[in-house]
Amino acid sequence: MTAHIPDTASDPGTAQSPRSADDARDRRAKPNSSENGGAPAEAQESGGESAGTVIVAGVVNLGIAVAKLVGGLISHSSAMLSEAAHSVADTVTEVFLFVALKRGEKPPDEKHPFGYGRETYFWAFIASLTTFLVGAGFSFFQGITTILEREEQGDPLVSYIVLGVSFVLEGISFLKAVRQVRGAARKWGVSPTGYLSRTTDTTVKAVTFEDAAALVGLVLAALGLFLEHVTGDPLWDGVSAIAIGLLLLVVAYVLARANKSLLIGQSASPRIEQELRDEIAAMDHVDDVPLLLTSVIGPGKILVAAKVDFDDDASVADIERASDEAERRLVSRHEGVEFVFLDPTPGDGRAQAQAHRPDAG
């Protein structure tokens, strides 16, 4: 028997049973706080705040790309042109991330009963590939060409001005992303680094990583310009462009890897799975939870499936009530849990995550 019951708190057409004192405390308690089991860092709001972060980053990157291009053409600096390509790649990335946010918010339908949350990771994956192909590829090309041809540099003054202004603007975008990360990290009681490593909101992760890479890239470009100006050797400009390409390559790889894992169905963290298992195991008429599986189905959205060993003397009505209560508790106490499926199973140690196939013949 697989049990899934609509969340009565959000379904006005469903009859609600009287709430106990414990239930009242549950409603007052902050979801996933220390009062009710801990906060999964996988679950967080990813709507308006993330969209705002993406829009700010996109507008900033577009303006910076134009300024860097002008500075690069005037100074004949491959590092500046690489930074212009970097900003163009970041702008295209923000467009993909905005599409990811909007597409991922589509409601479930008959063909996609769990919603479109994972489409967010598809577009975010495409965005990471864009960073690699456009930004890193162009930077490598410019750097190698400059090292081989050693074209003399033009007036670097415009480039220095553009780099300074760009650093300020990129810093503003980066600080906005950092504020969002820190706020979410405080909410869930984890460090900002821990939040970034575990969050399923890949849009804020992408913006944070890309803005950080942009600031480092600006420093590399300025260093290349300075060394070339001091030594008179364009080699340093080419080396700086290649370093920017390597930086973009690392960022693209990290983001692509994170999105790939989420796209194909990543589980929640072991800590969260243990909390969910303990919650079900503490229910009346439950002897054990021999198997529990989770899957991230979108930013801050988790599906829970478990095989449950009920008491041998539990009636069908007892099992139905326990299944009702289990889902109600998981959804109300663990923010991010969207679907709960329970499968009563005998406690003989043979519970497995395998589809039952009919015998061939």
Side-chain angles (χ1 to χ4, degrees), residues 256-278:
R257 183 178 179 183
N259 284 299
K260 173 190 171 186
S261 180
L262 290 163
L263 186 59
I264 63 179
Q266 178 177 301
S267 65
S269 70
R271 179 177 69 87
I272 301 308
E273 289 192 341
Q274 187 59 51
E275 290 177 359
L276 296 171
R277 183 190 298 271
D278 292 343

Side-chain angles (χ1 to χ4, degrees), residues 2-21:
T2 302
H4 173 66
I5 302 90
D7 180 11
T8 55
S10 60
D11 186 355
T14 305
Q16 299 187 32
S17 58
R19 305 283 183 163
S20 66

Side-chain angles (χ1 to χ4, degrees), residues 65-109:
V66 175
K68 287 178 180 176
L69 178 61
V70 173
L73 292 175
I74 293 175
S75 64
H76 306 295
S77 168
S78 62
M80 281 299 297
L81 292 176
S82 295
E83 273 299 298
H86 182 173
S87 294
V88 170
D90 284 351
T91 302
V92 175
T93 294
E94 306 309 334
V95 173
F96 280 128
L97 292 178
F98 187 77
V99 171
L101 283 171
K102 295 306 177 183
R103 295 289 297 176
E105 292 173 354
K106 290 176 60 179
D109 54 33

Side-chain angles (χ1 to χ4, degrees), residues 156-223:
L157 179 59
V158 174
S159 293
Y160 284 129
I161 294 174
V162 169
L163 287 174
V165 174
S166 298
F167 194 89
V168 172
L169 295 177
E170 291 283 11
I172 293 173
S173 179
F174 178 69
L175 288 176
K176 176 174 175 56
V178 168
R179 281 196 297 270
Q180 182 177 352
V181 170
R182 286 179 175 174
R186 283 195 301 269
K187 177 180 179 180
W188 302 118
V190 296
S191 68
T193 302
Y195 175 82
L196 275 178
S197 67
R198 295 199 298 265
T199 181
T200 58
D201 186 353
T202 57
T203 54
V204 70
K205 179 186 291 188
V207 171
T208 304
F209 275 53
E210 287 169 0
D211 284 348
L215 292 173
V216 175
L218 290 169
V219 173
L220 290 174
L223 184 60

